[in-house]
Amino acid sequence: MIIRPARNVRGELKVPGDKSISHRSIMFGSIAKGRTEITGFLESADCLSTISCFRKMGVEITRGSDGTVTVYGRGLRGLKAPSEVLDCGNSGTTTRLISGILAAQDFETTLTGDESIRKRPMRRIIEPLSLMGADITSVLGNDCSPLRICGRPLHGIEYTTKVASAQVKSAILLAGLYADGPTSVTEPDLSRNHTELMGRYFGADITSSGTTATVRPAAELYGRKVEVAGDISSAIYFITAALLLPGSEVLIRGVGVNPTRFGSVKVLREMGADITLLNESGEGDPQADLLVRSSGLKGVTIGGSVIPAMIDELPTVALAACFAEGTTVIKDAAELRVKESDRIALMVKNLRAMGADVEETTDGMIVHGGKPLHGARIDTQKDHRIAMTFAVAALLAEGETELADGDCVNISYPEFYQDLDRLTIR
Ligand code: S3P
């Protein structure tokens, strides 16, 4: 994939549906009773992995010509033993969340995935699910996928996580639906709360207080209509391009603005970004249109409780920091090292290849803004967010940029290059 510099980006856009919410809509829909109709579902490789896993467990899931996805739920205890291994592809969300459900079934399953997923840490779910009574093991004994899960009756636990992770929290809460008493999870900082919101919407007894979420055993959940908001993690590429390319103005319609996901906009505004929220609507997971205009940015320190609320957007905000006046420090973000790639190491390597002044730290990076970027060959390691971040960097650089394995954007945003092209003025 070759990308050339741009003059600016202008126009209107609707980004695809939120990946986290799309996964959860299939999962809750599958274990609920009755029909769940999902509009705005994200048809990307990751979410299709979730659909494929539940189909293999006997759930009928169909797609209408207008993109509406219908899940014919089988009820809390209605999943069937799959006859083959469940392939979660590249998806950490599929692997970790589904493990919570599988831990309570009366059958055995094996989960696997691609090269990246088979390197990601699974001890973080193996430990709490085992404490609940689950029989879950890493087949190769390396605390990674493939995982073998033999369903067992589960007990409620009170668990404190070491890291703020919605995937870990959600695995425990989903298992807790099947436990013999209340289960609570306390995290160091609040991670995205889509599981709590959607669980409640489907009829589960889930309460939240501070960074603790508590679920009580459920008798049954009931299928609902779900409208998936646009993904802020996909909007961030257009927000950043519009902020940094002079003379840009972009209106992004229907973006999810749940505060547990909105850290990037909060931080960019602190840096001086002109981002206006229009037409806010929706309960549960609220949405708004975002109007973004080019802005001069200033360096800031980014750390603490805002990190989980912008974890997937941090690489793109680091790119923005290269164009800010002064220094930006990103800290408390060691979790970036265990995403689809080591996003700290890979961001620093690629930003440096383009001429940026960046230092790697154990839990983040230090970006000295103001050095112009030039085109380079970018190593994406098939990480979709790295590819999209550097597609934006390429618009801002002098000369051509080449993205290796640029088609990895299919993981979360199959139409990314077409949308970017449509808004770009050269
Ligand atoms: C997700 C949670 C985050 C995020 C991932 C999606 C989710 O991961 O990085 O892209 O849908 O719950 P962690 O929970 O591991 O931080």
Side-chain angles (χ1 to χ4, degrees), residues 19-48:
K19 182 153 79 68
S20 294
I21 300 175
S22 295
H23 281 298
R24 286 159 174 79
S25 64
I26 297 296
M27 295 189 186
F28 277 111
S30 295
I31 61 170
K33 218 171 153 172
R35 235 165 56 175
T36 288
E37 269 175 37
I38 311 161
T39 50
F41 181 80
L42 169 65
E43 288 181 66
S44 75
D46 263 12
C47 300
L48 296 178

Side-chain angles (χ1 to χ4, degrees), residues 19-20 24 93 96 164-167 192 311-312 339:
K19 182 153 79 68
S20 294
R24 286 159 174 79
T93 308
R96 297 200 177 104
S165 161
Q167 294 182 354
R192 64 193 66 191
I311 191 73
D312 294 338
K339 295 293 175 187

Side-chain angles (χ1 to χ4, degrees), residues 192-194 197 255-263 284-287 309:
R192 64 193 66 191
N193 62 355
H194 304 301
L197 295 178
V255 181
V257 296
N258 177 323
T260 66
R261 292 290 299 285
F262 218 51
D285 261 304
Q287 314 188 11

Side-chain angles (χ1 to χ4, degrees), residues 159-174:
Y159 191 75
T160 301
T161 62
K162 291 179 200 79
V163 289
S165 161
Q167 294 182 354
V168 173
K169 171 175 65 178
S170 303
I172 301 169
L173 293 176
L174 286 164

Side-chain angles (χ1 to χ4, degrees), residues 3 23 188 216 223 228 239 275 291 304 318 326 370 378 402 415 422:
I3 304 182
H23 281 298
R216 288 183 176 72
V228 181
I239 293 174
I275 305 173
L291 179 65
I378 300 300
E402 191 185 335
E415 315 82 29
R422 192 168 56 74

